[in-house]
Each structure stands twice: as C-alpha cells, then as structure tokens.
C-alpha cells in the first residue's frame, strides 16, 4: 500500500474538521475525492502535506508503510509526495527556471505543455493567468518525479480545451509511468479525461462512499447535488 490513512481525526483553530477519514491508495492507482465546499477536502491535502496549522487528534498517515504523522513537509516531499495547490503562492524574485533547477529530479520538456519557454523566465506565479498557474504547478509536480501526485482542484477555472490538455499531460507524464494520483475536485470535470479507479465522496469531514463507477457518482451529484449523498445509509451510519 502506498498511502494509507487510518481513522484520521483533525482539528484546525479548535474545530474538528476531519472526522475519522479512512483512505487507501495502491501503487499506480488513480483515485479521486469529490465533495462540496467546506467538506474537508483541502484540509485533508494540507494534513497529508504536513501543514502544522492542523492538529491530528487521532489516527495515522502511512506512506510506503512508514508513519509520517510527525515528519516535516520537506521530508514528506523527499519520500515522494508531491502536491499541486488550488491557490499556489506567488514567489517574487524567483524565476520558474531557477525553482525547477533547485527541485528537479527529472527533466521536463516544457514544449509538451503548450506554453512558451518565456514562462520559465517569469517569477513564479506572479501575474500568471489561472491556466499558467495550473501548468506551472504541473511542471513542478512532474519535475519532482514523485511516487504520489496530489492535485487540489486542478480542474477549477479551466475551460474544456485546457482541461483536456491538463488531463492528457497527467496521463502521459504520471499515470502511464505508474505514479499514483489523487484528484481533489468539487464537480469532477477532470474525471472525464482521467477515469479513476475509485471515487470517494467526502461530506462534513467524512468519506461516506467509495465507488468504482465514477460516471454514476457524477450523474448523481449533477442531478441532485451532494444533498442526495446525505440520504445514503452510509452517511447516516457515520454521522
């Protein structure tokens, strides 16, 4: 098992946010977590990354069989966890090319991403468009040559054409190379291009459903929103 999360309870600012999360991701597997806003999806990513703002009250996070609850973010990256953030920070006075020189474990041909080489000579995320930020994050992820790549809302703010391009790159540069991928998404548009092995539905800080048929999940959410998920017996049993 590459990533294993066991009965994870987490607090932030004195408030319980994650309420007994269980998640398993095999090597080379693609999974997604769908959920409404404020369901705890991004908090889970931050906890996996080692963000000290959040306090683990119970449970374990295991990576390649090693408990990582107490190790620093940088060490988690070295183990092979790479994360693309929904709102990555701008870094003044640091060119994207310089950042890549520092972090790269794998050479990336930027031409594959459909952007100009000029992007490399600009300060990281400074005055980048939404699409440029996504591509910048994607380039960084691939450069790290991770074992697990986590994408927090990679599909937000992208039109269908750009989303298809992002999906194509993730497939060719990560999935086809047997990198495990976890997709965090609100409405699941990216799933149409990547076809996950499993979709998990998160509501109110709990994963209430794990389903192989992602199209069934998307259809339910689009027709009834996440309120229909709350009627599920699994949700009732975990509330």
């Amino acid at each position: 098992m590459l990533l294993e999360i066991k009965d994870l309870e987490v607090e932030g600012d004195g408030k319980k946010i994650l309420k007994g999360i269980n998640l398993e991701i095999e090597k080379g597997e693609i999974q997604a977590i769908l959920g409404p806003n404020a369901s705890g999806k991004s908090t889970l990513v931050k906890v996996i990354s080692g963000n000290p703002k959040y306090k683990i009250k119970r449970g374990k996070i295991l990576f390649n069989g090693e408990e990582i609850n107490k190790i620093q973010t940088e060490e988690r990256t070295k183990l092979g966890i790479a994360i693309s953030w929904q709102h990555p920070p701008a870094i003044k006075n640091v060119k994207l090319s310089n950042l890549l020189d520092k972090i790269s474990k794998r050479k990336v041909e930027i031409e594959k991403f459909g952007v100009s080489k000029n992007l490399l000579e600009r300060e990281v995320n400074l005055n980048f468009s939404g699409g440029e930020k996504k591509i910048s994050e994607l380039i960084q992820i691939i450069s790290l040559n991770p074992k697990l790549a986590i994408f927090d809302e990679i599909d937000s703010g992208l039109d269908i054409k750009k989303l298809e391009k992002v999906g194509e790159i993730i497939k060719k540069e990560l999935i086809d190379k047997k990198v495990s991928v976890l997709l965090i998404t609100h409405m699941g548009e990216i799933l149409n291009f990547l076809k996950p092995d499993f979709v998990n539905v998160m509501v109110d800080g709990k994963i209430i459903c794990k389903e192989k048929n992602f199209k069934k999940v998307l259809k339910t959410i689009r027709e009834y929103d996440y309120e229909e998920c709350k009627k599920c017996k699994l949700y009732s049993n975990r509330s």
Side-chain angles (χ1 to χ4, degrees), residues 152-170:
D152 185 18
E153 304 285 2
I154 190 70
D155 46 3
S156 67
L158 296 182
D159 60 34
I160 291 298
K161 188 175 180 180
K162 289 178 181 175
L163 190 55
E164 184 176 8
K165 182 66 176 177
V166 165
E168 177 188 321
I169 293 169
I170 292 174

Side-chain angles (χ1 to χ4, degrees), residues 6-225:
K6 296 181 177 181
D7 198 25
L8 188 68
E9 288 192 358
V10 171
E11 286 185 356
D13 296 326
K15 179 182 177 183
K16 187 182 287 187
I17 302 173
L18 303 182
K19 307 168 185 176
I21 296 291
N22 290 286
L23 180 68
E24 294 182 348
I25 300 177
E26 299 274 7
K27 293 178 180 178
E29 197 169 55
I30 314 166
Q31 291 201 34
I33 297 178
L34 281 82
N37 293 330
S39 61
K41 304 188 303 298
S42 291
T43 296
L44 177 59
V45 177
K46 290 172 184 175
V47 173
I48 293 172
S49 79
N51 189 321
K53 175 182 175 181
Y54 300 94
K55 188 175 295 184
I56 296 177
K57 303 298 289 184
R58 189 174 76 187
K60 295 180 180 180
I61 305 173
L62 303 173
F63 190 73
N64 257 341
E66 175 185 349
E67 183 177 333
I68 62 172
N69 284 35
K70 296 181 180 179
I71 71 173
Q72 301 297 312
T73 298
E74 185 177 351
E75 294 304 312
R76 299 184 194 209
T77 303
K78 288 178 181 178
L79 288 174
I81 301 173
I83 298 173
S84 167
W85 300 103
Q86 181 181 7
H87 302 296
I91 307 175
K92 292 183 178 180
N93 303 316
V94 177
K95 292 180 181 179
L96 180 56
S97 59
N98 293 337
L99 177 61
L100 294 175
D101 287 343
K102 184 174 178 61
I103 69 172
S104 286
K105 296 180 181 178
R106 172 183 162 194
K107 186 178 180 180
V108 176
E109 297 175 17
I110 193 169
E111 294 83 0
K112 291 182 179 180
F113 296 81
V115 294
S116 167
K117 281 189 175 182
N118 173 261
L119 188 71
L120 293 173
E121 300 311 310
R122 293 166 59 189
E123 295 169 290
V124 179
N125 293 326
L126 195 66
N127 299 317
F128 280 19
S129 68
E132 287 173 336
K133 286 182 182 179
K134 303 289 184 184
I135 293 297
S136 171
E137 287 285 287
L138 191 46
I139 291 170
Q140 292 169 55
I141 288 272
I142 294 167
S143 296
L144 286 165
N145 197 27
K147 294 181 176 71
L148 171 65
I150 302 176
F151 293 94
D152 185 18
E153 304 285 2
I154 190 70
D155 46 3
S156 67
L158 296 182
D159 60 34
I160 291 298
K161 188 175 180 180
K162 289 178 181 175
L163 190 55
E164 184 176 8
K165 182 66 176 177
V166 165
E168 177 188 321
I169 293 169
I170 292 174
K171 185 177 187 307
K172 287 184 177 179
E173 301 296 328
L174 295 170
I175 293 169
D176 288 353
K177 298 184 185 303
K178 306 303 180 184
V179 175
S180 299
V181 172
L182 178 60
L183 303 159
I184 310 298
T185 176
H186 176 61
M187 290 306 294
E189 294 298 333
I190 190 68
L191 306 189
N192 292 307
F193 301 102
L194 292 178
K195 300 176 176 55
D197 297 297
F198 292 99
V199 169
N200 305 271
V201 177
M202 180 181 279
V203 179
D204 295 337
K206 301 178 287 290
I207 290 178
I208 64 169
C209 174
K210 184 175 183 177
E211 173 67 56
K212 269 183 169 287
N213 188 341
F214 77 92
K215 290 186 178 179
K216 174 184 174 183
V217 175
L218 291 182
K219 184 174 185 291
T220 300
I221 291 169
R222 285 168 183 165
E223 287 185 7
Y224 304 104
D225 200 23

